[in-house]
Amino acid sequence: MTEDLDAVVVGSGPNGLAAAVTLARAGLSVRVLEAQPTSGGGARTLDLGLAEGVVQDVCSAVHPMAWASPFFEAFDLGARGVELLAPEVSYAHPLDGGRAGVAYHDLERTVERLGVDGAAWRALLGPLAEGWRDVVAVALGDKRSVPRRVLTPSGAGVTARFGAAVLEQGSPAWTRRFRTGEAGALLTGVAAHAISRLPSLAAAGTAVLLASLGHAPGGWPLPRGGSGAIVAALEDDLRAHGGDVVTGHRVGSLADLPRARAYVFDTTPRVVADVFADRLPRRAEDALRRFRHGDAAAKVDLVLSGPVPWADPEVGRAGTVHLGGTRAEMARSEADVAAGRHAARPVVLVSDPTVVDPGRGASGLRPLWTYAHVPAGSTRDVTEDVVAQVERFAPGFRDVVVASRCVPAAEMAAHDESYVGGDIAGGAVSMWQMVARPTPRFDPYAVGLEGVYLCSASTPPGPGVHGLGGWYAAQRVLRREFDVRDVPDLGPVATSGATTR
C-alpha cells in the first residue's frame, strides 16, 4: 500500500463506508482500512459458533434510522437488494402481572391499545410521525447549521412540537402526560437507548425521535439476513466505483497510513489524537482527548429452541422489546449505572429477528439479540441478569435457551475499538455532547489539522446506523480538499434494465 491515494478512510462502520462511497462517487481514489478481520463496525452479522446456520448481529440489529436517513434515502437500499422488514409491532414493553405497553407501527392501533392514555400518546407523537422528515432534519443534522426544512411554515411547526416534547419528557414534567404505567414505561424504554440518567433532555430527544419513527412509514425495521446486508451494499458500491476495503489493518500511528491527500476517521477522537499527536496543534489535541465516553452495554447473544414465551402474546410480535419494569424502576436502574453500580434489575433490550425474518432460524433454532446496561468498563458476565429479566416477563424462558455468549462491557472494544469501555454510542449521550461532539468547533468534522477529518458516532448527529456523519464529513472533504462543490449522486445506476451496485 505504498501508492498515493486521494483519500483514506480509517474504520469501516456505516459512517466510514458512507464517507468512502461519497468520495469514490466523486471520482476519487479511496481506500478503507479496517482493523478487524471483517468490515462493518457495529453493523456486522457473524456466525459466532453458537449453533450451526444461526448468525448473530454483533451490535446493532434494528434500524429505524436506516430508512429515515437522507443518506440512505439517496443511496436507495431497496434498489440494491436490502430488504428492511418492519414488524407489525415496532416495540413493546412488558410489565409485571402480564401487562404490556405495545407500540404498533399503526398509530391508531396503538392509541386504541393504550386506552385512557391513547389520546395523549397521539397528541405527543402523531404530528411528529406525520412530519417525520422535519423531525429527522432537526434531530439528524450536523448541529451547526439550520436545515432548510425548518425554515418552512410546516417545518417550523414540527420543530416547535419536537422541542416541546423533548422539554416535557426530559424534565420532571415527564410524569404529567400519562395516567397508566403502560404508556409511561413504553416511552421510557425508548429513552433508555441513550444509556443515561432518566429523565434527561438527551434521553428525551432519543425517545421522541425514535418513537416518532416507530409510527412513520418505515417503522423499526430489521434487514433481511441481518445488519451485515447494509454493509455489503455499501461495500459493493464502493468497489464498483474503484474503491477498496483492506481488513486486518490497524492504524495506530502515521506509519500505518498510506500517503493520501485526505484522511477520514470513523474512530474515536482519541485515535486521531494518537495518530497525529506530533502534528496536531496542542489545543486541538487536548480537545480531542477531553472527549467523554459514556456508560455501557454488555452484549448477550442467545440461541433459542422456540419463541420467547411472553406473558402477553402481543409482545412476541415486536421486533424490539424493552425490559426494565416501570418508568420509576428504569430511572433507578439507570441512576445506578451512572453512579458506577450494577443495577439489581438492569435495563435490557431484546430483539428476535425471526419475528419478521424466519430465514434467520435454522434447524428449529433461532437467534435472540440482547444487551444490558452496565457501568463503563464492567467486567461482569450479565447472562444471568439478562435471562432473569426476560424470565420475569416470559415465564418458562429458561427452558428454550440452548446456547449463550456474553461479551462484557470491558471486552466490547475487542470487536470494535470505538466501543471504549462498552460505550456503544460513541460518547456520552448528554445534551452538551450531542450538540458539541466531539468538540465545540464550528466544523465538528474537522480536527484542527489540514486534510484530516472525523466522521464517527463521536460527531453529529451521533449514534445510529444512518451514515450521516460520513456523508457530512465527505462533503466537506470534497469541497475543501478537492474543490468539488456538487454532492455526488448516490443512487444506483441502471444499465440495460438491470441495477448495478
Side-chain angles (χ1 to χ4, degrees):
M1 296 193 296
T2 59
E3 76 270 29
D4 288 356
L5 298 161
D6 289 320
V8 169
V9 177
V10 179
S12 68
N15 280 317
L17 290 174
V21 163
T22 305
L23 297 173
R25 284 278 186 141
L28 305 187
S29 57
V30 182
R31 173 163 294 151
V32 178
L33 303 178
E34 169 58 52
Q36 294 295 316
T38 57
S39 57
R44 285 175 290 161
T45 303
L46 301 175
D47 183 347
L48 303 179
L50 295 178
E52 185 175 355
V54 176
V55 296
Q56 306 274 357
D57 290 314
V58 174
C59 184
S60 58
V62 183
H63 301 287
M65 294 187 194
W67 70 264
S69 160
F71 169 78
F72 280 122
E73 183 178 24
F75 187 72
D76 197 346
L77 287 169
R80 299 165 187 279
V82 179
E83 294 183 73
L84 296 178
L85 308 171
E88 189 175 1
V89 176
S90 292
Y91 54 93
H93 194 113
L95 295 168
D96 293 321
R99 299 175 298 140
V102 178
Y104 295 95
H105 190 186
D106 184 325
L107 174 63
E108 290 307 313
R109 193 172 176 186
T110 307
V111 168
E112 181 180 357
R113 165 93 185 198
L114 287 174
V116 296
D117 277 331
W121 187 272
R122 183 198 292 117
L124 181 69
L125 297 175
L128 299 178
E130 184 177 350
W132 66 268
R133 288 186 182 277
D134 299 308
V135 172
V136 166
V138 172
L140 298 184
D142 64 9
K143 303 297 190 290
R144 301 295 190 278
S145 60
V146 178
R148 291 181 181 178
R149 297 190 66 93
V150 173
L151 301 178
T152 66
S154 62
V158 171
T159 300
R161 283 182 175 274
F162 179 79
V166 171
L167 287 173
E168 173 194 298
Q169 293 300 311
S171 71
W174 76 330
T175 61
R176 296 178 184 173
R177 177 172 292 269
F178 301 121
R179 295 162 57 187
T180 66
E182 287 87 342
L186 189 60
L187 191 58
T188 306
V190 186
H193 282 250
I195 317 183
S196 65
R197 289 186 182 273
L198 299 171
S200 71
L201 292 176
T206 300
V208 175
L209 168 64
L210 294 180
S212 300
L213 294 180
H215 298 304
W220 279 26
L222 293 81
R224 187 181 297 279
S227 298
I230 296 174
V231 171
L234 289 166
E235 285 192 344
D236 284 352
D237 190 85
L238 174 62
R239 293 190 172 99
H241 291 85
D244 65 352
V245 179
V246 178
T247 56
H249 185 101
R250 185 178 184 277
V251 174
S253 70
L254 279 173
D256 300 317
L257 289 171
R259 291 177 56 182
R261 289 177 61 183
Y263 298 98
V264 185
F265 281 70
D266 184 10
T267 66
T268 65
R270 182 172 289 275
V271 170
V272 177
D274 289 342
V275 171
F276 295 99
D278 296 333
R279 300 193 180 189
L280 278 166
R282 182 59 181 270
R283 288 183 64 183
E285 180 185 348
D286 288 347
L288 291 172
R289 294 189 186 281
R290 282 196 299 270
F291 184 76
R292 187 168 63 88
H293 285 278
D295 287 309
K299 182 77 165 14
V300 179
D301 295 294
L302 299 160
V303 176
L304 310 182
S305 60
V308 179
W310 300 108
D312 184 334
E314 283 297 281
V315 176
R317 303 170 71 180
T320 303
V321 181
H322 305 126
L323 305 179
T326 65
R327 171 170 269 188
E329 284 182 272
M330 282 184 285
R332 287 195 296 270
S333 295
E334 298 294 74
D336 282 341
V337 168
R341 301 185 296 267
H342 286 91
R345 287 177 160 178
V347 171
V348 172
L349 270 65
V350 176
S351 178
D352 178 353
T354 62
V355 168
V356 288
D357 187 5
R360 291 288 298 276
S363 303
L365 302 178
R366 61 174 69 196
L368 191 72
W369 177 103
T370 77
Y371 74 65
H373 293 178
V374 296
S378 166
T379 59
R380 180 168 176 160
D381 181 330
V382 298
T383 303
E384 176 54 30
D385 301 84
V386 167
V387 171
Q389 273 289 60
V390 181
E391 178 82 19
R392 175 183 173 188
F393 306 106
F397 173 67
R398 293 179 187 276
D399 297 335
V400 299
V401 177
V402 299
S404 66
R405 184 197 77 150
C406 177
V407 181
E411 298 175 19
M412 289 286 280
H415 66 75
D416 190 327
E417 291 186 35
S418 293
Y419 296 159
V420 177
D423 170 16
I424 60 174
V429 180
S430 65
M431 186 53 70
W432 171 251
Q433 278 213 163
M434 290 305 291
V435 173
R437 63 201 293 137
T439 69
R441 294 177 62 91
F442 178 74
D443 182 353
Y445 310 100
V447 301
L449 183 63
E450 185 177 353
V452 181
Y453 298 80
L454 188 67
C455 75
S456 66
S458 300
T459 65
V465 176
H466 44 60
L468 291 171
W471 195 38
Y472 296 150
Q475 291 176 51
R476 287 160 170 79
V477 172
L478 290 173
R479 189 166 57 247
R480 294 174 187 165
E481 309 301 330
F482 299 94
D483 197 28
V484 175
R485 302 288 169 175
D486 296 330
V487 180
D489 180 12
L490 298 174
V493 179
T495 305
S496 301
T499 298
T500 59
R501 302 179 188 178

